[in-house]
């Protein structure tokens, strides 16, 4: 171990010498932070150990199963047997939360114990803290340490990242052996990185165990893996995959893997590709990369040393929403569901109308899986997500060699794929006019003829079309065929926007049950009032996103208003209920004396004011009257006005009022 004074001079010389372009520049930069930013004294280490109570919090902070990490440590120790190294897991706060000691305790580092804090701000230059600071593997060998007391030990640390791409923790291998050869430590450093990679891969695959995983073999050490669903949508990506292929959070759940790589000709199924796929070409590149595609893991792996965390289990078994859950307690939705259950499968096509995010896709899936057609396939096709030039071949199919670049095997097309099942045509309003004719013919005859083929095939499908657009206006403008509209409109169902539903509280509770993966989550009164007052322009999709984020931020299982972070969206204009309209009309005639006084030069007069201003003023007075009569009883106030509680809370916010 280096003398304290000599070690200090070594640090001082390196820091004061200016730019360090050697292989040890990372060490000089860390030493500079310790001296200049943290004001640490290399001769006086101020190490911290957490209490048992504090450790409970730190283990909870490590939101993946510690047992999974500890099982990996056991494997690692067998790889470095006899080297005197012990293995540790530190969380993203730099706190050691798990360890496996070497069988030979001769070189055990007593300072590397459970509960020890090893952030760089506390422990100076060290494996765990510096790896977290730089988010990169770090090997600290003897005198690389900042504190003189630690220059007799060596540590090799490598961060590993969670399924969301953020750092999850650090693998640390350490020994207190002043005579350790540096070459031997470099070997151990490589093992630390291998362990971190394995652990990162294990967490990713377990987290996305219900999805397909595609591993990209690139010249990178870190795992490069995509999780994709059966429709080839990217639902997850490791940190390295995000960086290499420029995948951000907005792409997760919405971007197709074919937006990253060139699409396979012939549109083979994903299960076929699990057996046959070996390489892909990145879009915009001529270089092929080796890939492998694995099927979902249908059941937990039988490993006695590894337990799957509750959060992974909960997220991996999300069930299909039922019709009862779609209906909730809203009378209009219950009526819609009743109609759809009666007509679904009787030969009538269905047209779902409603704003973006109201759950048209979810409702159609529920209809399919609760009908006699559940034995057949459910095929969804988004008319706005496919280029105009590809819709024909994607929807109606083509024969082998039908056009330049066509697959030799051909493509059956989505209509044929849905035979004996349900075909969901989302955003039907965006279908090109020329293809509407082909769709109309199919709907009339139930026959489809792929491009380049003279063979006609009869197909039995239940068609459900959906759009957020006004098809009447598109028909009038000549951009949507009137005969196609009437053919699709065997049954038309208007799905209410979330702000129009009377069961918003029930929907909130149901969604929280679906997304809460670490025990029950409740909403306090103030937060609930914010949720009920928000206009929800993004409807249920927006509500789910807000609640998912809030549930992760909630302390003690209680969502508070600060956890919501609702975007400031202007309240949307909505027609008042008959009761409220009547009250507004009667109030308007009696409130002219209370309207704002208008001054014109030297003359003062009341009104006239715009009808919009008068209506708003009268509506406010009607609500005040209801509050005077019913006080803080929100249910009674809403009933008196003929509106839902959600609408009442929005009106209170709009007019800056509150219940007494």
């Amino acid at each position: 171990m280096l003398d304290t004074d000599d070690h200090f001079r070594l640090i001082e010389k390196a820091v004061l010498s200016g730019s360090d372009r050697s292989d040890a520049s990372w060490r000089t930069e860390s030493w500079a932070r310790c001296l200049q930013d943290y004001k640490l004294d290399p001769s006086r280490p101020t190490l911290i150990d957490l209490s048992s109570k504090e450790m409970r919090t730190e283990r909870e902070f490590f939101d993946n199963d510690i047992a999974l990490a500890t099982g990996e440590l056991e494997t690692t120790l067998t790889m470095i047997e006899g080297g005197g190294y012990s293995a540790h897991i530190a969380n993203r706060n730099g706190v050691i939360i798990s360890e496996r000691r070497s069988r030979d305790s001769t070189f055990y580092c007593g300072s590397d114990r459970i509960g020890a804090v090893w952030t760089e701000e506390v422990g100076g230059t060290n494996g765990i803290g510096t790896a977290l600071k730089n988010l990169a593997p770090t090997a600290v060998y003897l005198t690389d340490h900042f504190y003189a007391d630690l220059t007799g030990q060596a540590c090799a640390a490598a961060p590993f990242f969670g399924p969301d791409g953020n750092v999850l923790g650090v693998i640390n291998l350490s020994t207190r052996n002043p005579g350790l050869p540096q070459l031997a430590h470099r070997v151990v450093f490589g093992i630390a990185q291998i362990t971190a990679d394995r652990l990162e891969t294990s967490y990713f695959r377990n987290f996305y165990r219900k999805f397909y995983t595609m591993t990209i073999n690139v010249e990178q050490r870190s795992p490069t893996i995509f999780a994709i669903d059966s429709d080839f949508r990217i639902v997850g990506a490791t940190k390295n995959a995000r960086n290499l292929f420029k995948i951000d959070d907005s792409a997760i759940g919405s971007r197709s893997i074919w937006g990253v790589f060139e699409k396979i000709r012939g549109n083979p199924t994903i299960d076929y590709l699990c057996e046959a796929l070996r390489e892909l070409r990145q879009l915009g590149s001529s270089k092929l990369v080796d890939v492998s595609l694995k099927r979902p893991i249908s059941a937990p792996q039988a490993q006695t040393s590894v337990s799957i965390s509750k959060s992974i289990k909960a997220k991996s078994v999300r069930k299909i929403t039922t019709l009862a859950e779609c209906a909730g307690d809203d009378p209009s939705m219950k009526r819609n569901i009743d109609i759809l259950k009666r007509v679904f499968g009787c030969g009538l096509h269905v047209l779902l109308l409603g704003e973006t995010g109201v759950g048209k896709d979810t409702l159609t899936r529920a209809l399919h899986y609760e009908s006699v057609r559940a034995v057949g396939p459910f095929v969804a096709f988004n008319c706005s997500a496919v280029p105009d030039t590809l819709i024909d071949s994607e929807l109606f199919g083509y024969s082998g060699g039908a056009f330049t670049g066509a697959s030799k095997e051909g493509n059956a097309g989505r209509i044929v794929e849905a035979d004996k099942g349900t075909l969901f045509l989302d955003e039907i309003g965006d279908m090109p006019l020329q293809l509407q004719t082909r769709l109309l013919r199919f709907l009339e005859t139930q026959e489809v003829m792929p491009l380049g083929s003279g063979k006609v095939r009869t197909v039995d499908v239940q068609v459900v079309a959906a759009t957020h657009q006004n098809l009447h206006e598109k028909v009038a403008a000549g951009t949507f065929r009137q005969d196609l509209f009437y053919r699709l409109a065997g049954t038309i169902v208007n799905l209410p926007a979330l702000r129009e539903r009377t069961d918003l509280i029930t929907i909130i509770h149901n969604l929280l049950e679906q997304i809460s993966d670490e025990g029950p989550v409740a909403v306090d009164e103030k937060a609930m009032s914010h949720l009920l007052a928000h206009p929800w322009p993004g409807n249920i999709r927006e509500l789910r996103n807000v609640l998912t984020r809030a549930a992760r931020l909630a302390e003690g299982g209680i969502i508070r208003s600060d956890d919501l972070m609702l975007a400031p969206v202007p309240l949307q204009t909505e027609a008042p209920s008959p009761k409220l309209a009547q009250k507004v009309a009667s109030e308007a005639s009696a409130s002219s004396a209370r309207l704002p006084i208008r001054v014109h030069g030297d003359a003062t007069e009341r009104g006239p004011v715009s009808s919009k201003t008068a209506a708003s003023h009268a509506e406010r007075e009607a609500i005040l009257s209801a509050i005077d009569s019913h006080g803080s009883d929100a249910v009674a106030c809403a009933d008196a006005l003929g509106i839902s509680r959600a609408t009442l809370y929005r009106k209170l916010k709009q007019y800056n009022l509150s219940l007494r």
Side-chain angles (χ1 to χ4, degrees):
M1 187 166 62
L2 198 64
D3 177 82
T4 300
D5 292 337
D6 290 340
H7 186 55
F8 180 76
R9 282 191 288 270
L10 178 65
I11 293 174
E12 188 177 42
K13 181 180 179 181
V15 172
L16 296 179
S17 63
S19 177
D20 183 352
R21 298 185 181 181
S22 69
D23 291 339
S25 60
W26 65 268
R27 180 189 65 180
T28 303
E29 292 168 357
S30 175
W31 283 352
R33 288 193 296 269
C34 294
L35 281 177
Q36 299 166 359
D37 298 342
Y38 316 141
K39 311 300 183 186
L40 300 180
D41 183 345
S43 65
R44 296 181 180 180
T46 54
L47 304 181
I48 298 174
D49 287 284
L50 300 184
S51 65
S52 299
K53 182 178 180 180
E54 290 170 323
M55 278 302 298
R56 283 196 293 272
T57 302
E58 292 300 325
R59 286 196 175 97
E60 290 173 0
F61 183 78
F62 192 85
D63 53 9
N64 287 266
D65 203 328
I66 295 176
L68 180 60
T70 304
E72 197 64 60
L73 294 185
E74 298 283 4
T75 303
T76 300
L77 279 182
T78 62
M79 299 171 66
I80 52 176
E81 192 71 39
Y85 284 87
S86 295
H88 313 88
I89 294 289
N91 66 12
R92 69 190 74 171
N93 283 342
V95 180
I96 294 179
I97 58 174
S98 181
E99 73 170 343
R100 283 295 180 269
R101 297 188 183 186
S102 170
R103 293 184 178 86
D104 182 0
S105 60
T106 304
F107 300 123
Y108 176 67
C109 297
S111 57
D112 288 356
R113 52 186 173 269
I114 292 179
V117 178
W118 280 107
T119 59
E120 199 178 65
E121 292 87 343
V122 173
T125 305
N126 70 91
I128 294 172
T130 306
L132 284 172
K133 192 71 178 179
N134 296 330
L135 293 181
T138 303
V140 181
Y141 178 72
L142 304 179
T143 56
D144 289 337
H145 284 89
F146 179 78
Y147 286 126
D149 286 358
L150 303 181
T151 56
Q153 60 193 53
C155 50
F160 56 94
F161 299 84
D164 60 357
N166 294 319
V167 64
L168 196 57
V170 178
I171 292 285
N172 181 62
L173 307 176
S174 66
T175 182
R176 191 171 183 83
N177 182 0
L180 177 73
Q182 190 167 12
L183 181 59
H185 190 56
R186 287 177 181 172
V187 174
V188 172
F189 182 38
I191 292 174
Q193 296 175 67
I194 292 172
T195 303
D197 293 345
R198 281 207 311 261
L199 192 54
E200 185 173 330
T201 300
S202 297
Y203 274 130
F204 188 86
R205 292 194 186 282
N206 276 321
F207 190 88
Y208 290 108
R209 60 189 293 107
K210 292 296 180 179
F211 295 92
Y212 297 82
T213 50
M214 179 183 287
T215 301
I216 316 298
N217 298 315
V218 292
E219 296 177 359
Q220 298 280 335
R221 180 190 54 78
S222 300
T224 306
I225 310 173
F226 288 105
I228 57 179
D229 63 14
S230 57
D231 293 325
F232 295 98
R233 280 193 300 264
I234 298 172
V235 296
T238 60
K239 180 178 184 294
N240 203 45
R242 290 169 181 253
N243 292 341
L244 284 178
F245 299 101
K246 297 179 174 56
I247 303 295
D248 56 20
D249 288 339
S250 65
I252 301 299
S254 61
R255 189 174 179 183
S256 170
I257 197 71
W258 305 128
V260 178
F261 298 100
E262 287 187 8
K263 192 172 185 180
I264 301 294
R265 292 180 178 178
N267 296 316
T269 65
I270 194 167
D271 286 304
Y272 172 79
L273 290 180
C274 287
E275 304 295 337
L277 188 62
R278 295 293 180 269
E279 58 186 17
L280 286 172
R281 178 178 284 108
Q282 186 179 354
L283 290 176
S285 172
S286 60
K287 184 178 180 181
L288 291 170
V289 293
D290 295 333
V291 301
S292 60
L293 185 63
K294 291 187 177 181
R295 291 186 174 87
I297 304 170
S298 58
Q301 297 176 349
Q303 295 179 350
T304 57
S305 62
V306 177
S307 65
I308 308 302
S309 69
K310 293 180 180 178
S311 64
I312 292 174
K313 287 180 180 177
K315 292 189 178 202
S316 63
V317 294
R318 181 172 289 170
K319 62 184 181 67
I320 295 171
T321 303
T322 65
L323 285 174
E325 290 169 335
C326 290
D329 295 324
D330 183 76
S332 65
M333 276 303 296
K334 286 183 176 181
R335 176 62 177 160
N336 286 339
I337 298 298
D338 183 61
I339 292 171
L340 289 169
K341 288 168 69 174
R342 290 172 183 266
V343 303
F344 196 79
C346 74
L348 289 175
H349 302 302
V350 176
L351 180 61
L352 300 181
L353 304 177
E355 295 179 3
T356 298
V358 294
K360 297 184 285 290
D361 181 294
T362 302
L363 174 58
T364 306
R365 288 178 188 272
L367 279 169
H368 171 78
Y369 288 111
E370 291 187 37
S371 73
V372 294
R373 290 190 171 266
V375 295
F378 176 86
V379 177
F381 183 79
N382 191 317
C383 300
S384 67
V386 179
D388 294 358
T389 54
L390 296 180
I391 289 182
D392 199 344
S393 58
E394 286 287 328
L395 190 58
F396 299 96
Y398 59 86
S399 61
F403 50 87
T404 303
S407 168
K408 293 181 180 179
E409 295 80 16
N411 176 22
R414 298 301 179 90
I415 293 176
V416 172
E417 288 176 11
D419 192 20
K420 304 297 188 297
T422 302
L423 175 65
F424 177 56
L425 298 175
D426 199 11
E427 300 302 340
I428 189 67
D430 289 319
M431 175 172 279
L433 195 59
Q434 66 271 21
L435 294 179
Q436 293 176 24
T437 303
R438 290 201 70 187
L439 178 60
L440 175 64
R441 177 169 176 78
F442 164 70
L443 294 177
E444 291 174 341
T445 65
Q446 293 287 290
E447 295 178 346
V448 62
M449 184 171 66
L451 292 171
S453 171
K455 297 181 180 179
V456 175
R457 175 170 176 173
T458 300
V459 183
D460 172 24
V461 297
Q462 167 69 61
V463 174
V464 179
T467 182
H468 70 281
Q469 301 184 49
N470 188 322
L471 291 186
H472 290 291
E473 291 181 354
K474 291 184 74 69
V475 169
T479 56
F480 198 88
R481 291 184 60 117
Q482 186 177 48
D483 46 1
L484 176 59
F485 172 79
Y486 287 119
R487 177 62 66 177
L488 288 170
T491 303
I492 299 179
V493 173
N494 285 279
L495 302 184
L498 187 58
R499 63 182 174 277
E500 298 168 348
R501 294 187 59 158
T502 61
D503 59 343
L504 180 54
I505 293 179
T506 301
I507 294 173
I508 290 170
H509 290 314
N510 288 342
L511 286 176
L512 282 175
E513 286 183 6
Q514 293 178 23
I515 65 180
S516 301
D517 53 15
E518 295 180 355
V521 176
V523 183
D524 73 12
E525 186 175 350
K526 185 177 180 181
M528 182 62 78
S529 69
H530 285 313
L531 290 172
L532 295 177
H534 190 65
W536 300 113
N539 293 291
I540 294 176
R541 184 182 295 125
E542 180 189 8
L543 176 60
R544 178 184 288 276
N545 289 340
V546 168
L547 292 178
T548 301
R549 181 176 61 238
R552 298 294 294 176
L553 297 176
E555 294 286 343
I558 304 293
I559 293 177
R560 297 173 176 80
S561 56
D562 289 342
D563 300 325
L564 296 176
M565 296 188 293
L566 293 172
V569 180
L571 288 173
Q572 298 188 10
T573 303
E574 55 186 313
S577 70
K579 279 186 180 181
L580 182 56
Q582 184 178 3
K583 288 180 179 291
V584 168
S586 61
E587 187 66 35
S589 62
S591 63
S592 60
R594 297 192 296 270
L595 290 175
I597 296 175
R598 304 178 70 190
V599 179
H600 299 276
D602 296 330
T604 301
E605 62 181 21
R606 298 184 182 275
V609 295
S610 69
S611 59
K612 182 177 180 181
T613 301
S616 296
H617 185 76
E619 186 175 67
R620 187 178 190 277
E621 293 296 321
I623 295 172
L624 280 172
S625 177
I627 294 173
D628 287 339
S629 301
H630 303 285
S632 61
D633 192 335
V635 174
C637 286
D639 288 343
L641 295 167
I643 59 179
S644 68
R645 284 178 62 190
T647 301
L648 174 62
Y649 278 112
R650 285 197 300 276
K651 297 293 183 183
L652 292 173
K653 184 176 180 180
Q654 180 180 351
Y655 296 119
N656 196 26
L657 300 175
S658 61
L659 297 173
R660 296 172 185 172

